Each structure stands twice: as structure tokens, then as C-alpha cells.
Amino acid sequence: MTPSPRLLAGTVLSVLAFALPAAAQSTGDTSPIDHVEGQPPATGADSKAAGKPVETEAANAPDQTPAFENQTRAPQPAEMPKVATETVAEGLPHLWSMEFLPDGRMLVAAKKGSMHIVSKEGQAGAALDGVPEVVSSGQAGLLDVALAPDFASSKTILFSFSEPREEGNGTSVAKARLVEDGNGKARLEDMAVIFRQMPSYDNTKHYGSRLTFAPDGALFVTVGERSDRETRVFAQDLASGFGKVFRIDLNGKAMPDNPFVSREGAQPEIWSYGHRNLQSAALDGQGRLWTVEHGPKGGDELNRPEAGINHGWPVITYGVEYSGGAVGEGLTAKEGMAQPVYYWDPVIGPSGMAFYDGEEFPEWKNSFVIGGLVSTGLVIVHLDGDKVSHEERVPLEARIRDVKVGPDGAIYAVTENPSAGSSSVIRVSRAD
């Protein structure tokens, strides 16, 4: 797929971006990379009383008030299961994502650009051939991986990655066939890039990205707005691919019933907009998309993106700039812009998310399990309809990059240690 010529304002941004000196592309604040490597807020390790919010640290934006009850700091549930943890794989390269294969093995994607199959015994195979070159500095890398709905017959996988381009880089989606030779080796064949977030931009921040298949076979692709003040405003621009959720088919084309397919100048692949940096996405029991995105300091958000909805960034947001100043005009609400279902202040640093419908934890039925880079554990969000009723946390004392529900109903969490360049996979099961 070649880059689309239909960029309008996005093209103007691309030209402007490369004319700016490097310093002008800075947010002017502490790096978002430092933000997600910061000190953790409450993790649940202090055994907060049931019925009380697990988060007791001071808010970064104490003057902001939620729009409705339990939009933030929801109480813990009355009953919380005790958990047991075990490491099922360790010494892995620094991972960004994992997906279970039908036979229980794990397909993992490493940030620096390799893909591996991890056996049930926790042993990683050799790097797969056929993975394209990726940008891997900063927040860039080989990102999410997902199995196509017909994987059992087609062996097709999809993956997102930070693609190097002449004009900079950007989040791209590729598909390929996973081929195994029967002797323990595997490779990708017929690899093709099917979709590119456009325009390209020359930094290494806020790529997103999660891949989630809907029941109708459509692929949701979440991306970031590339962080800088010059780019964040384009989360509001339908001609730009920054700060969006896309909905495409397996060939990378816009689904015909997408909300903006008939709007002149809009990118037809767009499903929702006004997002900051979406690194968590999952379907609920009704097959609807939910996401969690990195907000500014004190503004991580749980959202339920719907067709054509504007989620407000950077016009409205909870939280503040990393410097402590207001984001824009300091607004948390505006007509025509959706409120987050829930927000965290202080932040959890979300990455990876799964809807829980297993048998291991009946207390977590119909809840979302979210990985925390800053909260260093699992964040469990219980729903009552389309709102949050309770929040609890499972401390794992590690940065959590991805979360999956295993075939056995246990939770599998991918940890990361950026300084050591390594990851582990932890199995979380019931202790009683």
C-alpha cells in the first residue's frame, strides 16, 4: 500500500514538521518516556479497605472534579480474590506484545524488531525470518501482534510497527503468513504492509498501537498523536491520521460503513478521533471496543470509542502537562466531545488490556484487566453497564506491557525491564 495522497492539513503538518528545528518539536515538558517510567502511585499492596478507593495519593490536578460518580477513584469491591503468581517464561527479549496460538504456545513481538514463538515450557525459539525493519528508539518498535480470525486455516497474522520512512516514520500495519517447518523453526511469508498512519513524522513518541478484531472481521487499529505540541492538535483533524482509532479490513481498506467515508477530505479509515496515545484495546462481551490511553500527567482514560465520536484531546482532558501547567485552556468538558468512562489521577501508565470472562476468577467476570507500566501490576476495572463500579489492583512489582487471558482462564502478564532489555511472562491464578 502506498501512502495516500489525501492528506490536506496533514500534508501541511508533515512539511512544517521537517522545517522545524529539533527543539521546536519538543513538548517543553518532561519526556513522556520518563512519565511512564516514573514513581508508581498506590498499587493495592497496602491492603486498602474494601469499599474505599485503592488510590490515595494526591491528584496532580486537585481542582478538577469528575463529571459523574465513579468516573475516577471508584471504590474497591467487597470481595477481592487472593492471587498466586508464577513465572512461566523469563530471559526473553524486551517484549511489546504477545498472543496465544491455538495450541497454547505464545507468539511474542520484541520491541527491537524480532518475533518469536515461546513454547508451553517457556522457551523462546529463534527469531522469525521475514519481519520488516522497524524504528526501535524511544517509544518506537515492533508493537502489537494479532491472529487473523481465520488463522486456523490461513495462518495469517497481523502486526503493527514503527515503520522507517523517507519523511520520518509512523505506525504501520502488516500481515503475513506464519509458516513452521516442523523442525522448530518458523518464518513469516508473503509479508505486506496493508495500512500506514499518515502523515509521517520525525520523532520517536506516541505510536499507540493495539490491534483488535471485531466480531464482523473488521480490524480496529489504535494510534497516537506523536506527542509534540505541533502534532497533538491534529488529533482533532479528520484529514490527519494522528490520534485516531481506525477500522479497516484485512487488506487495509476502510470498512464501507465507517462514519467518515463520505466526508470530503477525511481519512475514510477513521472510526473515532481526539485520542492521545492508545496502548490498550479490547472488546467487551457484546463485541464493543473499549480502549485505555495514556493521558497527560493525571489524565489516563478508559473510553468506549464509537463511530464518529470525538474524545476531545487536546481540547479537553483531565490532568495537566508534565510541567504542571494546564493543557490548552484547562478544559475538562466541552459540548460535542465525549467524557472518558473513567480516568486515573495519578496515572497507571496503561499498556495491554483484556476482557475477563474466564472461570479462574468469578469475581472478575465482565471486567477489564489492564496492565500498568507505572502502577506496576494489574488494574481491574469492574463495570456496571457502561460505567465503572469498582477498581482493584494486583501488584506484580514489574512494568506490565501486555495482558492476555490464557486458555486456562488465568491471566498472563508480559513484564518489561527497559534498562535490562528483557521481559518475562507471569501467570496470575487463584490462590484459594
Side-chain angles (χ1 to χ4, degrees):
M1 174 180 173
T2 57
S4 169
R6 182 186 17 77
L7 297 178
L8 299 180
T11 300
V12 176
L13 168 67
S14 185
V15 173
L16 175 62
F18 304 120
L20 292 169
Q25 295 185 17
S26 170
T27 62
D29 299 317
T30 301
S31 164
I33 300 174
D34 294 336
H35 151 62
V36 297
E37 294 178 358
Q39 293 299 312
T43 63
D46 297 332
S47 299
K48 304 296 189 299
K52 300 292 185 180
V54 66
E55 184 60 81
T56 58
E57 297 294 318
N60 293 285
D63 296 332
Q64 295 177 347
T65 57
F68 49 82
E69 185 179 9
N70 286 353
Q71 192 185 21
T72 191
R73 300 195 183 213
Q76 295 180 110
E79 296 184 4
M80 293 175 280
K82 294 181 179 179
V83 306
T85 63
E86 62 177 314
T87 300
V88 297
E90 58 186 341
L92 303 173
H94 182 185
L95 303 181
W96 210 95
S97 60
M98 66 89 80
E99 185 62 270
F100 277 101
L101 295 170
D103 62 5
R105 294 176 301 161
M106 293 172 282
L107 178 65
V108 299
K111 182 180 182 296
K112 286 190 174 181
S114 64
M115 211 174 284
H116 305 260
I117 293 177
V118 178
S119 71
K120 295 179 183 179
E121 294 73 33
Q123 300 301 313
L128 276 62
D129 290 333
V131 178
E133 179 186 359
V134 308
V135 178
S136 61
S137 57
Q139 297 174 359
L142 181 58
L143 304 173
D144 205 13
V145 61
L147 308 185
D150 64 349
F151 176 81
S153 58
S154 70
K155 304 302 179 185
T156 296
I157 67 166
L158 286 294
F159 57 95
S160 56
F161 65 107
S162 306
E163 182 185 36
R165 304 170 186 169
E166 289 184 7
E167 304 85 2
N169 55 71
T171 302
S172 295
V173 180
K175 70 176 181 180
R177 288 191 306 113
L178 177 62
V179 178
E180 299 186 68
D181 65 4
N183 296 314
K185 293 185 178 180
R187 63 187 183 279
L188 299 183
E189 291 188 352
D190 304 323
M191 195 284 296
V193 176
I194 63 167
F195 180 76
R196 289 181 169 94
Q197 175 199 33
M198 294 296 291
S200 302
Y201 188 64
D202 194 15
N203 78 0
T204 56
K205 299 175 186 174
H206 289 202
Y207 295 90
S209 158
R210 293 292 171 183
L211 306 177
T212 303
F213 278 101
D216 63 0
L219 177 63
F220 289 111
V221 180
T222 73
V223 299
E225 35 62 288
R226 306 308 305 275
S227 177
D228 293 344
R229 292 186 188 276
E230 294 80 17
T231 63
R232 63 166 62 166
V233 296
F234 286 87
Q236 290 291 316
D237 187 348
L238 295 176
S240 168
F242 292 164
K244 306 297 192 296
V245 174
F246 301 107
R247 182 170 170 262
I248 59 176
D249 64 19
L250 272 173
N251 295 313
K253 303 298 183 184
M255 296 299 290
D257 57 344
N258 276 357
F260 304 114
V261 290
S262 300
R263 182 174 298 191
E264 185 177 357
Q267 293 193 14
E269 299 89 356
I270 294 172
W271 176 253
S272 62
Y273 64 110
H275 298 285
R276 187 171 181 269
N277 188 23
L278 303 112
Q279 291 191 355
S280 309
L283 303 182
D284 65 13
Q286 301 177 53
R288 303 177 304 174
L289 179 69
W290 294 68
T291 61
V292 187
E293 61 189 80
H294 288 270
K297 189 177 183 179
D300 290 350
E301 293 184 359
L302 170 70
N303 288 300
R304 189 169 73 82
E306 298 181 84
I309 295 295
N310 181 355
H311 288 271
W313 176 258
V315 178
I316 66 170
T317 185
Y318 290 93
V320 294
E321 299 279 11
Y322 298 115
S323 64
V327 177
E329 298 179 12
L331 301 177
T332 60
K334 188 172 184 177
E335 185 176 358
M337 296 182 179
Q339 280 289 306
V341 175
Y342 196 73
Y343 70 91
W344 288 269
D345 184 2
V347 298
I348 59 171
S351 190
M353 175 182 184
F355 181 73
Y356 191 78
D357 196 26
E359 301 299 329
E360 185 80 5
F361 296 103
E363 301 92 338
W364 295 351
K365 281 272 190 179
N366 302 317
S367 297
F368 285 110
V369 182
I370 303 159
L373 294 167
V374 170
S375 57
T376 58
L378 302 178
V379 178
I380 317 299
V381 173
H382 300 255
L383 299 179
D384 181 4
D386 287 350
K387 293 187 177 180
V388 173
S389 60
H390 299 88
E391 177 189 350
E392 62 184 290
R393 299 193 184 178
V394 176
L396 297 176
E397 300 180 353
R399 289 166 57 86
I400 306 304
R401 178 53 74 178
D402 201 5
V403 178
K404 290 290 187 292
V405 179
D408 55 359
I411 303 295
Y412 289 77
V414 175
T415 75
E416 68 169 17
N417 184 336
S419 60
S422 64
S423 287
S424 298
V425 178
I426 298 174
R427 181 178 183 269
V428 180
S429 60
R430 193 175 191 83
D432 56 351

